[in-house]
Each structure stands twice: as C-alpha cells, then as structure tokens.
Amino acid sequence: METGNFNDFIEKNWENIIETLRNEYDIADISFDTWIRPLKFKNIEDDVVYIIVPTDMAQAMNYISKKFMTYFMVTITEMIDHNVKVMFILENDVQNEEITKKEKIYNINSENANLVSKYRFDTFVVGNSNKFAHSAALAVAESPGEAYNPLFLYGGSGLGKTHLMHSIGHFILDQDPNKKVLYVTAENFTNEVINAIRSNSSSKVNEIRKKYRSVDVLLVDDVQYIIGKEATQQEFFNTFNELHSAGKQIIISSDKPPQDMETLEERFRTRFQWGLTADIQAPDYETRMAILNKYSENNKKDIDNAVFEYIAENITSNIRELEGAYNKLMAYSRLNKVDITLDVAEEALKDIINPNQVKEITPANIINIVAEHFNLTADDIRSKRKTADLVLPRQICMYLCKELTQEPLQEIAKALNKKDHTTIIYGINKISESVKVDKSLSNKIDILKKKISPL
C-alpha cells in the first residue's frame, strides 16, 4: 500500500482504529473519553503517523505519549500491515501539509537550538507592559550582533521573557537557516559545567567551550542562577567575552536588572550593561484581554467576552497563570460536555480564582509545577512507580510542600497518594540533606520556589 493509500485508509478508519485500541488494551470508558477520543489523525509521512492532541490537553502531552504511543503504534501497524512509528503533536503546532525544503532545514536547526515552536513574535501579544522589550527584541533579531549586544531582559516569572528570547531565535533562523543559534537555561548551563568538572576530563570541558563559543547567537535564560557559583560563573564570563569580542549576539534574561543584583560581581554588572536593558512588567487589563482573545483565535473558539473579562480581572500576576486558567477552562468544557458561559467559568476556575482571598500555595499547585519542570504529569508524581526519573521529583514535592505550606504531614501524604507520612518524612530529610552538598539540586529548588511563588 502506498503512503497516500495509508493516509486515506487511516483517515477513513480512524474511529475503527481507536475502538480497536480500546478493546485490545481494555481501556476504561473514562480513560478513553478523556485521553483517546479527542485525538485526531493528521497524516503519515516517512512511516511516522502524526496524531493531533488538542491544545487544551497540552499539559497531558507527556502522559499521553508515554501511556498510549505503543498502543497506537501496534494497532495501526497491524491494521495496515506496515511498520509505523507514532508522534503526537499539539494542535497549535500543526503546520501546512506541504513543507518547503527551507522549512525542513529550519526545523532541524530549531531543534538543535532548543527553541520552542510556539514561542514566536506573531504569537506574542504586545501591550504597554512589554512594548519596549518587544521592540528591542525585534531589533536584535533583525540585526544580530549589531543593534544591542548584549540584550538584557528582566522581569518576574511568567511575564514573557522566555517567549521573547525564543522569538528572537526563530526569527534569526527564519532569515538565515545556517546561523548557529543556541538557547539554554542557566540551570542547564550550570549542570553541564559541573558535570564536566566532576568528570575530571579536559576533553569534556573543551566540549562545553566549543559548544557555547562557536555559536552566532547565545540565549541564556534566568542568568541569576549562575551568579555565586564560581566555576560556572567563570566559564560563563569567558564565554561572554569571547562571543562579544567576535561580534556574536548575546541575549540574557533575569528576574532583576543588573544594578539590583546584590551579589553580582562588578565585572558582570559592567558587561551586562554594555548593550540594552529592557524590563517586562505584569500585563495590564487590556493586554490580558488581548492575550485571552489570542488564545481563542488560535483554538478557533468563540467565547463570550464576559468570560474573558472575569478571568482578566481576577488573574493579574503573570501570563503563565492566565494561560493555565484558559487551558483549564477549555478542558473543563470538553470533559463535561458543556458550553463555556460565565457560570461555567466560575465553577471551572473556582480553585484558581477567588476574588476575596489571597491565592494560597497548595500541595496540588506544587505537584503540578514540579511535574511540569521535570516534563512529567501530576499523575506520574502521584503514581506508585519508583523509577529513577520519578523518585527525585516526588521527594522534591514532599520537601517543597513542607517548606512552602502549612499542611500537616498527613495531608501532604494524601496529596501525593501515600498511605502514611513516614515516606514523606524520609523524602523531606533526604532533600534537606542533599541540598547542603549538591549545588545542582539546590539550584533546582531555587528555580522551583520562584515558579511556585513568583512574586
């Protein structure tokens, strides 16, 4: 059967395929309706079957892939009598069927650059709170190494710094796919340096230097986490100097401007201020409304303006929370099969929006944020599995729940699906001792605390 015939067959028999999958793997009705029914077939290309995941299920993408990829692969392979692989893609990321040769090259470079596909200038909503930063970012993207070098973006968590940084990278690669662009978080940069030093191998250190000093554009997110870590700080200092001297573009983000970073050495403060410093503030009401309408346009959802007004009036701190509320509302509507009205929004978001109370940090919040940080789902964290990739995030949840909430140990155990609190005590003690000697872990904890309580 030719590829075109595979496409036709799978498209016509999609309902039969998912029903077969349900029966073969004995999937419960609730699981089927929640995770499988909303999925749509896109196409098959080079023996890869692409399946579309609705945008409001973005946070469950990792879970769906881990849980059901093999099921789909086996079911489709047997039905078309041809070996296939399966890839899940978000609805927002679906491109036109015809991809030009240039775009293929670009996509490869984009992957190597660690860029997120949805973070582009055309998806960034400009308002009074970010207009200057957006203009500066666009100027750098249009003339890398010439306009402002370095570009230093600062502002609170979830306000759009990372979005702008990725947008710059995408724009530059769009204009010249051969440019070497690299985005890295300060946490990952630190971990790479630490691992290279621990290996006691000069070749490993040289690999790091070659990787970061041979690029045309270097984007370093949350640079404040490098400050004070001597070996990492020195490596970054030398990398910065070499790239800047060669006319390569550097973009940096932080939660504070250089002059307010108390432990920042003067040599860094001076260099960070060589170019342009631009801040991003919390979005004003008009910008929050524009962002919500943008989400609605992307998802082709027609929602009453009163619903968006309710969300925009009550979620004011950052864009990440705004997007989380929107996605939760979409998921609530889909799972409960109800139209989105103001009453439905109030019910769906009652644990997020309570205009009369200060927002609390809860174990559920912490579990969700830690899971997202480690590319897991909350269900992974709460599961009984004890694989290496789950133990550390689970113990970090225990530690942060104790540190950031007033919940008794029994309630923390309940939130993490544990029978009693002895496991919780062990996890808390384990992390408490480890952070004293493990700088990488201590760094992770700092980042997670900032995400959980950004203000």
Side-chain angles (χ1 to χ4, degrees):
M1 193 184 294
E2 298 295 326
T3 299
N5 294 332
F6 286 147
N7 269 309
D8 292 341
F9 179 85
I10 296 174
E11 186 171 1
K12 291 176 182 176
N13 290 276
W14 183 247
E15 287 298 319
N16 187 28
I17 288 170
I18 62 175
E19 285 296 335
T20 299
L21 186 145
R22 185 218 293 251
N23 295 329
E24 287 291 325
Y25 294 97
D26 195 24
I27 298 173
D29 289 347
I30 183 65
S31 296
F32 181 81
D33 290 338
T34 302
W35 308 120
I36 305 296
R37 176 68 71 189
L39 305 179
K40 304 296 180 186
F41 170 68
K42 179 180 180 286
N43 70 331
I44 179 171
E45 184 177 330
D46 296 330
D47 293 337
V48 178
V49 175
Y50 292 91
I51 299 174
I52 299 171
V53 178
T55 301
D56 60 42
M57 294 171 64
Q59 293 182 336
M61 182 88 153
N62 189 54
Y63 174 79
I64 291 170
S65 181
K66 284 183 177 180
K67 180 77 174 176
F68 301 110
M69 181 178 286
T70 302
Y71 295 177
F72 273 103
M73 188 167 63
V74 172
T75 301
I76 295 172
T77 293
E78 289 180 347
M79 291 192 75
I80 67 175
D81 194 25
H82 183 82
N83 287 329
V84 297
K85 295 181 180 178
V86 168
M87 182 173 289
F88 296 97
I89 53 175
L90 273 180
E91 191 174 20
N92 268 359
D93 294 337
V94 175
Q95 305 291 323
N96 293 329
E97 292 292 334
E98 294 297 323
I99 302 176
T100 64
K101 183 178 179 181
K102 178 181 177 181
E103 285 174 325
K104 285 185 178 179
I105 294 172
Y106 163 69
N107 285 338
I108 293 169
N109 283 349
S110 179
E111 289 175 11
N112 294 338
N114 301 327
L115 299 177
V116 176
S117 60
K118 68 178 181 178
Y119 290 155
R120 297 173 179 272
F121 281 120
D122 60 3
T123 59
F124 187 88
V125 177
V126 182
N128 292 329
S129 60
N130 58 30
K131 187 182 296 182
F132 178 66
H134 174 268
S135 298
L138 185 57
V140 165
E142 290 175 335
S143 302
E146 299 175 17
Y148 307 111
N149 199 17
L151 174 62
F152 192 102
L153 302 171
Y154 72 91
S157 177
L159 296 181
K161 302 186 301 295
T162 299
H163 191 146
L164 276 182
M165 295 180 81
H166 285 261
S167 299
I168 294 171
H170 282 303
F171 189 97
I172 291 170
L173 285 174
D174 273 337
Q175 303 306 306
D176 184 355
N178 294 314
K179 285 282 189 186
K180 293 180 180 178
V181 175
L182 183 59
Y183 166 88
V184 65
T185 64
E187 179 186 16
N188 287 340
F189 182 85
T190 301
N191 289 340
E192 287 186 53
V193 173
I194 290 171
N195 290 334
I197 293 171
R198 281 180 179 168
S199 70
N200 200 25
S201 167
S202 59
S203 63
K204 290 287 186 184
V205 175
N206 288 333
E207 281 178 21
I208 297 267
R209 290 173 180 167
K210 183 178 179 181
K211 174 181 177 180
Y212 287 104
R213 299 181 193 183
S214 63
V215 299
D216 298 303
V217 182
L218 178 63
L219 307 107
V220 182
D221 212 349
D222 287 327
V223 75
Q224 69 270 17
Y225 294 110
I226 290 177
I227 308 307
K229 299 172 177 65
E230 292 184 11
T232 306
Q233 190 171 272
Q234 186 61 46
E235 194 62 41
F236 179 68
F237 179 78
N238 294 334
T239 297
F240 182 103
N241 284 343
E242 188 162 326
L243 289 176
H244 195 275
S245 297
K248 307 302 184 182
Q249 181 67 52
I250 303 165
I251 300 102
I252 301 167
S253 85
S254 176
D255 60 345
K256 297 177 182 178
Q259 63 269 25
D260 290 348
M261 298 170 74
E262 296 176 1
T263 58
L264 183 63
E265 293 181 15
E266 190 58 34
R267 57 177 180 161
F268 280 102
R269 198 185 314 276
T270 301
R271 282 160 176 77
F272 287 169
Q273 293 176 322
W274 275 349
L276 179 70
T277 300
D279 72 322
I280 302 180
Q281 300 293 330
D284 57 22
Y285 175 78
E286 289 76 15
T287 305
R288 297 196 297 274
M289 285 293 291
I291 289 169
L292 290 167
N293 278 291
K294 185 75 170 181
Y295 294 154
S296 182
E297 288 172 15
N298 291 341
N299 295 327
K300 297 181 174 60
K301 288 280 188 182
D302 188 16
I303 299 174
D304 192 291
N305 217 44
V307 173
F308 286 162
E309 289 172 357
Y310 171 70
I311 297 174
E313 286 169 358
N314 289 289
I315 296 182
T316 61
S317 57
N318 63 57
I319 297 167
R320 186 177 295 132
E321 289 193 5
L322 207 62
E323 183 177 15
Y326 177 86
N327 287 337
K328 181 165 187 179
L329 179 57
M330 295 302 104
Y332 183 91
S333 169
R334 176 177 52 79
L335 292 173
N336 292 282
K337 298 180 174 60
V338 294
D339 293 331
I340 296 174
T341 63
L342 182 56
D343 287 342
V344 167
E346 290 175 348
E347 176 63 25
L349 304 177
K350 64 184 179 182
D351 61 334
I352 297 176
I353 296 176
N354 190 332
N356 299 318
Q357 291 183 9
V358 176
K359 184 179 173 184
E360 288 185 279
I361 297 173
T362 66
N365 300 146
I366 292 171
I367 292 167
N368 286 332
I369 290 170
V370 172
E372 181 186 6
H373 183 84
F374 285 95
N375 198 26
L376 301 167
T377 68
D379 286 340
D380 290 331
I381 299 287
R382 295 189 187 97
S383 71
K384 303 295 185 184
R385 302 198 309 276
K386 297 182 180 179
T387 53
D389 63 322
L390 294 178
V391 171
L392 178 63
R394 191 176 289 140
Q395 290 178 341
I396 288 175
C397 284
M398 298 171 186
Y399 174 83
L400 290 174
C401 284
K402 182 68 169 64
E403 285 277 303
L404 302 179
T405 77
Q406 300 297 316
E407 296 290 340
L409 294 175
Q410 290 87 346
E411 288 302 313
I412 297 174
K414 185 177 177 181
L416 285 158
N417 199 27
K418 299 299 176 187
K419 290 183 179 178
D420 59 62
H421 63 276
T422 54
T423 304
I424 305 301
I425 294 173
Y426 175 81
I428 292 169
N429 291 339
K430 178 73 174 176
I431 299 299
S432 297
E433 292 302 314
S434 296
V435 293
K436 296 176 183 176
V437 294
D438 188 338
K439 289 187 177 180
S440 174
L441 178 60
S442 177
N443 193 33
K444 279 188 175 69
I445 297 294
D446 287 343
I447 291 171
L448 285 164
K449 284 181 177 178
K450 181 73 70 174
K451 288 183 175 181
I452 293 164
S453 182
L455 297 180

